[in-house]
């Protein structure tokens, strides 16, 4: 265990030295991404919900579950953080260069990385709810995790465990809650409240009559 921690220390120093050798504009991009990158996941959650309003109840259920599963990933990471009082590397590693962003105060522990847990959970949750987007969300999550080491506020093992915890928790929540949430979506879509129906979407059945009418016209035209 100590060997792995020593390796993590050395990797942290290597990344920190590399970070200080990069141009200022690149450092600025990393500083922005490490905080605002999570907002992009939020935009993808909204886009996923919007695109499934005319989709199946299962698709809508998964889209609604994605941010919820991500929240559970964060809670799991925060629970671990409260149990393991690991000091931030920007304060604990000897001879480490100054972190690019302000070192969090004492008591804001390092292990695991909440940013990485959120990113890992969001990446998996979105991948399960939106086919093909995994090629975007996984690189985003990996870049988010790396950025936390790059700016100097986390060890490599912090972000690795954060990614894994977030991804695992999100996967379990998405699979376990899919059926009950799908039932709620079906109930909402049959509601008399226009606001509820608008939020849940009308589903593909709303377009079935128009589609059937177009097919009927096409057939009559053929004859």
């Amino acid at each position: 265990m100590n060997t792995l921690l020593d390796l993590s220390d050395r990797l942290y120093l290597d990344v920190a030295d590399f970070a200080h050798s990069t141009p200022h504009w690149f450092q600025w991009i990393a500083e922005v991404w490490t905080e605002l990158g999570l907002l992009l996941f939020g935009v993808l959650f909204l886009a996923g919900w919007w695109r499934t309003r005319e989709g199946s109840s299962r698709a809508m259920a998964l889209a609604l579950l994605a941010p919820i599963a991500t929240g559970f990933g964060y809670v799991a990471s925060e629970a671990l953080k409260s149990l393991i009082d690991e000091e931030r590397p920007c304060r604990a590693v000897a001879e480490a260069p100054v972190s690019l962003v302000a070192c969090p105060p004492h008591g804001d522990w390092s292990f695991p990385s909440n940013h990485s847990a959120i990113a890992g959970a969001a990446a998996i949750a979105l991948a399960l709810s939106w086919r093909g987007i995994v090629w975007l969300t996984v690189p985003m999550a990996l870049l988010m995790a790396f950025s936390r080491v790059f700016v100097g506020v986390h060890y490599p093992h912090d972000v690795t465990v954060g990614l894994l915890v977030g991804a695992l928790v999100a996967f379990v929540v998405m699979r376990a809650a899919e059926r009950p949430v799908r039932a709620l979506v079906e109930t909402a879509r049959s509601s008399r409240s226009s606001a509820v129906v608008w939020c849940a979407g009308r589903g593909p059945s709303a377009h079935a009559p128009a589609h059937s009418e177009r097919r009927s016209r096409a057939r009559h035209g053929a004859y």
Side-chain angles (χ1 to χ4, degrees):
M1 184 65 177
N2 288 335
T3 301
L4 291 176
L5 294 178
D6 289 342
L7 175 61
S8 190
D9 281 1
R10 292 196 297 270
L11 286 174
Y12 171 79
L13 287 172
D14 289 341
V15 173
D17 289 338
F18 167 70
H20 280 268
S21 70
T22 58
H24 289 295
W25 62 265
F26 189 85
Q27 296 176 14
W28 178 82
I29 290 175
E31 293 172 27
V32 171
W33 173 253
T34 196
E35 295 296 342
L36 298 184
L38 295 179
L39 292 179
L40 183 53
F41 281 113
V43 172
L44 291 176
F45 287 144
L46 288 174
W49 160 73
W50 185 261
R51 67 185 290 273
T52 55
R53 291 176 71 252
E54 298 177 0
S56 67
S57 296
R58 179 179 182 273
M60 174 56 76
L62 291 175
L64 293 175
L65 271 173
I68 297 173
T70 300
F72 274 96
Y74 165 75
V75 170
S77 175
E78 185 63 25
L80 281 175
K81 189 185 288 286
S82 66
L83 295 175
I84 304 174
D85 300 345
E86 179 189 76
E87 189 58 272
R88 296 277 180 165
C90 42
R91 198 173 2 260
V93 177
E95 301 180 358
V98 178
S99 56
L100 297 183
V101 299
C103 192
H106 178 74
D108 186 352
W109 307 117
S110 189
F111 180 88
S113 164
N114 282 344
H115 279 71
S116 299
I118 294 171
I124 295 303
L126 283 165
L128 290 174
S129 63
W130 191 336
R131 178 178 292 183
I133 204 172
V134 64
W135 303 111
L136 172 62
T137 59
V138 168
M140 282 174 57
L142 293 176
L143 284 174
M144 173 61 66
F146 178 75
S147 74
R148 301 304 288 165
V149 182
F150 186 91
V151 300
V153 296
H154 276 293
Y155 292 100
H157 66 269
D158 294 340
V159 300
T160 301
V161 173
L163 284 171
L164 294 175
V165 167
L168 178 60
V169 171
F171 180 85
V172 171
V173 171
M174 293 287 285
R175 291 306 188 196
E178 178 188 332
R179 285 189 177 181
V181 174
R182 181 170 57 185
L184 288 175
V185 170
E186 291 171 352
T187 300
R189 285 180 167 178
S190 60
S191 172
R192 294 182 179 180
S193 171
S194 58
V196 172
V197 173
W198 184 86
C199 290
R202 295 187 178 277
S205 60
H207 303 277
H211 179 67
S212 299
E213 184 178 350
R214 286 195 299 268
R215 289 184 59 185
S216 177
R217 289 177 178 176
R219 287 176 179 174
H220 282 81
Y223 292 107

